[in-house]
Amino acid sequence: MRDRGRTVRQLAFDVAHKADRTGRYLEDLTDETLDAPDGRALDARDRRLLRELVLGTCRRQVTLDHLIAHFSSRPIARIDLDLLTLLRGALYQMVYLDRVPEHAAVDEAVELAKRTGSQGQAGFVNGLLRAVVRSMTGDGPSQAVLPTGSRLVHFADPVVPDPADDLPGYLSVIGSMPRVVVERRLERFSANTVQQMSDAANTVPTVFVHPNGLRTDAEGLRSALAAEGRELLDAVEGRFYRLEPTDRIAELSAFSDGLFWVM
């Protein structure tokens, strides 16, 4: 039987690796991967997870690199790029995805390290990630709290700068924004506004559609999409509806039949 998590994580690593080596856009590489035989073999849930791993890791890279630098036994500049890519992906799962067990993310990252590097590199990955797990699951008092958008992650280590001592550093880490960008924004806006800007930038955009009134109405579109495993949600002013899930919209029969427009 195929190991679902292993396959998705391997594909996510491959996409990030190609982006690092070629400078191509992650979206394009992700679409290519999903259209390739390995990607087409994934079910809808796996496809969404792959996109989340690739794009979410990119969105949160500033924060992830900060965590890696804190827990690493070597300077981040001395970590091989492939290992850095692997660590970012594993940490994103551990910190930002609620339903991925920490041990699964660690074990898969170690196995990937073995396949892409040496046994020593696998040991480095294992040691760093398990140090993060201990800090996240320790029984002692919390030394830092990292908001993720869906929950608050507590660490036994002071991994987040104290805003009283380093406000730009704090906003940079929790918002995953380069420090120089935060500093420039603080020259014009309040700390609360800067944090709201970061939150907005890290929010996955929703997809809204509008029924084509010449061919159907909202209820007809809802029925057609339900037959293809999709939902219409959250009517806006009675005209626009949120579509879930949003992958491979162009392959829907409702789309090719012209039943809706993507707004």
Side-chain angles (χ1 to χ4, degrees):
M1 178 180 296
R2 179 174 63 87
D3 186 331
R4 169 179 172 270
R6 185 187 303 276
T7 300
V8 173
R9 292 181 180 106
Q10 176 70 66
L11 291 174
F13 172 81
D14 291 344
V15 170
H17 173 81
K18 290 178 183 177
D20 289 336
R21 300 299 180 182
T22 66
R24 295 181 60 197
Y25 290 116
L26 282 172
E27 279 279 12
D28 293 341
L29 290 169
T30 303
D31 289 342
E32 286 182 7
T33 299
L34 290 172
D35 286 338
D38 284 343
R40 287 190 172 274
L42 302 176
D43 60 25
R45 183 183 177 190
D46 284 354
R47 295 172 69 87
R48 292 193 294 272
L49 176 59
L50 175 62
R51 195 174 292 276
E52 171 70 18
L53 289 177
V54 172
L55 300 181
T57 300
C58 179
R59 284 194 304 271
R60 297 293 186 174
Q61 183 172 317
V62 171
T63 305
L64 299 173
D65 283 357
H66 178 85
L67 293 175
I68 292 170
H70 178 88
F71 288 99
S72 176
S73 59
R74 68 181 76 159
I76 194 169
R78 292 180 53 199
I79 299 176
D80 178 79
L81 181 57
D82 284 348
L83 276 189
L84 193 58
T85 299
L86 191 155
L87 288 168
R88 288 167 177 163
L91 280 175
Y92 181 76
Q93 297 170 63
M94 294 162 59
V95 175
Y96 290 99
L97 298 186
D98 299 345
R99 290 172 290 188
V100 176
E102 288 90 353
H103 67 84
V106 173
D107 292 344
E108 293 296 343
V110 171
E111 289 303 313
L112 278 173
K114 290 178 181 178
R115 291 200 291 270
T116 59
S118 67
Q119 187 69 34
Q121 289 175 322
F124 171 73
V125 169
N126 183 64
L128 188 151
L129 294 180
R130 293 200 182 280
V132 177
V133 171
R134 288 194 296 272
S135 185
M136 292 174 60
T137 59
D139 295 330
S142 175
Q143 296 294 318
V145 178
L146 180 65
T148 67
S150 62
R151 59 176 177 156
L152 297 176
V153 179
H154 293 257
F155 290 89
D157 293 67
V159 299
V160 179
D162 186 338
D165 298 328
D166 184 8
L167 181 58
Y170 170 78
L171 293 173
S172 173
V173 171
I174 68 167
S176 195
M177 288 288 158
R179 183 185 180 98
V180 64
V181 173
V182 172
E183 290 174 340
R184 290 173 180 171
R185 288 178 176 176
L186 285 173
E187 293 174 359
R188 299 181 58 192
F189 306 104
S190 69
N192 184 59
T193 298
V194 172
Q195 184 173 348
Q196 289 177 341
M197 289 177 175
S198 299
D199 291 343
N202 286 311
T203 300
V204 178
T206 55
V207 174
F208 287 92
V209 301
H210 177 56
N212 180 357
L214 297 176
R215 300 193 176 186
T216 188
D217 57 16
E219 291 308 311
L221 178 58
R222 179 174 284 111
S223 297
L225 289 171
E228 298 188 76
R230 308 300 172 101
E231 287 186 282
L232 283 185
L233 305 167
D234 299 338
V236 178
E237 298 180 357
R239 297 182 299 160
F240 306 126
Y241 299 84
R242 184 161 57 90
L243 179 64
E244 291 289 347
T246 61
D247 60 305
R248 305 180 77 171
I249 293 176
E251 297 184 14
L252 296 174
S253 295
F255 180 82
S256 58
D257 292 342
L259 300 187
F260 68 90
W261 294 292
V262 177
M263 306 308 296

